[in-house]
Amino acid sequence: MSKRLKIDFGSINDNNVEMLRKVNSACFPISYNDNFYKDVVARKNQGLNKFAYYGGFVIGAVCTRLEPLPGDESRKRLYIMTLGVLAAYRGREVGTQLIESVLNYYEENKSDQFKDVDEIALHVQISNDDAINFYIERFDFVRGDMVENYYRRIDPPHCYLLYKKLQ
């Protein structure tokens, strides 16, 4: 494994959201619609949505939202919508630093902004062993149930719910 890159974080806004579209198209087998990008910009929350910069260039991004916890509408969870790192920079702990930054933001704000948040979660395609292992081995996520036919335009269409209890 290569050395950990020292990265900087930056906000996602109207002026640079097209870079997020480029990172996502390079990293994921699906394309996200315009509403996804509009929603990320509208949230204006650099603690949950941010770029990773190296040498002044965007090399990755994480996008997270706050949503109701399924089964208990009075509680919430952080949901990782996307975590993408350009291929040339993988294995250099860029994704690790992005997730650490989201978890640190949660820790810093858990007594007020996130007092109702019980977990952090995401869906991962069942064939994406690298992502599944990344979250389980580095961050102690638990592999939950398989969700059949979660994805419409990729094969296999099934995913696992990965989650980690925060409280």
Side-chain angles (χ1 to χ4, degrees):
M1 182 98 10
S2 299
K3 184 179 166 198
R4 180 179 179 115
L5 284 182
K6 181 174 177 358
I7 61 170
D8 295 309
F9 299 117
S11 63
I12 300 169
N13 56 52
D14 282 323
N15 297 325
N16 62 17
V17 70
E18 285 305 311
M19 288 304 303
L20 178 60
R21 192 182 300 268
K22 290 180 188 316
V23 168
N24 286 351
S25 68
C27 294
F28 304 117
I30 60 174
S31 54
Y32 292 87
N33 64 35
D34 289 339
N35 285 335
F36 172 87
Y37 298 99
K38 287 177 187 170
D39 290 346
V40 168
V41 169
R43 282 189 194 94
K44 295 182 180 174
N45 189 330
Q46 186 178 337
L48 299 178
N49 303 287
K50 64 187 76 178
F51 286 120
Y53 286 91
Y54 179 70
F57 295 97
V58 172
I59 62 168
V62 64
C63 295
T64 312
R65 70 176 178 237
L66 194 58
E67 66 179 27
L69 188 65
D72 186 354
E73 297 293 312
S74 69
R75 305 301 298 172
K76 294 183 171 52
R77 72 177 176 190
L78 291 174
Y79 183 79
I80 301 169
M81 299 179 292
T82 61
L83 171 67
V85 176
L86 297 178
Y89 299 93
R90 293 181 191 152
R92 306 288 301 273
E93 299 189 26
V94 175
T96 297
Q97 292 176 73
L98 284 163
I99 295 299
E100 286 171 347
S101 73
V102 170
L103 292 172
N104 289 341
Y105 183 70
Y106 163 79
E107 285 295 326
E108 292 164 6
N109 295 281
K110 69 181 179 182
S111 62
D112 50 69
Q113 180 182 359
F114 298 131
K115 67 182 181 297
D116 298 332
V117 174
D118 292 338
E119 72 180 26
I120 186 167
L122 72 154
H123 289 93
V124 177
Q125 189 178 21
I126 61 170
S127 60
N128 192 343
D129 292 329
D130 288 342
I132 292 167
N133 293 333
F134 170 80
Y135 287 101
I136 290 173
E137 292 172 8
R138 293 200 185 198
F139 295 102
D140 297 321
F141 276 64
V142 173
R143 189 179 83 190
D145 294 334
M146 183 177 75
V147 180
E148 292 189 14
N149 300 311
Y150 181 80
Y151 299 107
R152 293 188 192 135
R153 295 182 201 93
I154 57 175
D155 191 45
H158 316 306
C159 70
Y160 291 115
L161 176 68
L162 302 183
Y163 65 93
K164 177 180 179 161
K165 294 293 181 191
L166 297 173
Q167 300 196 48

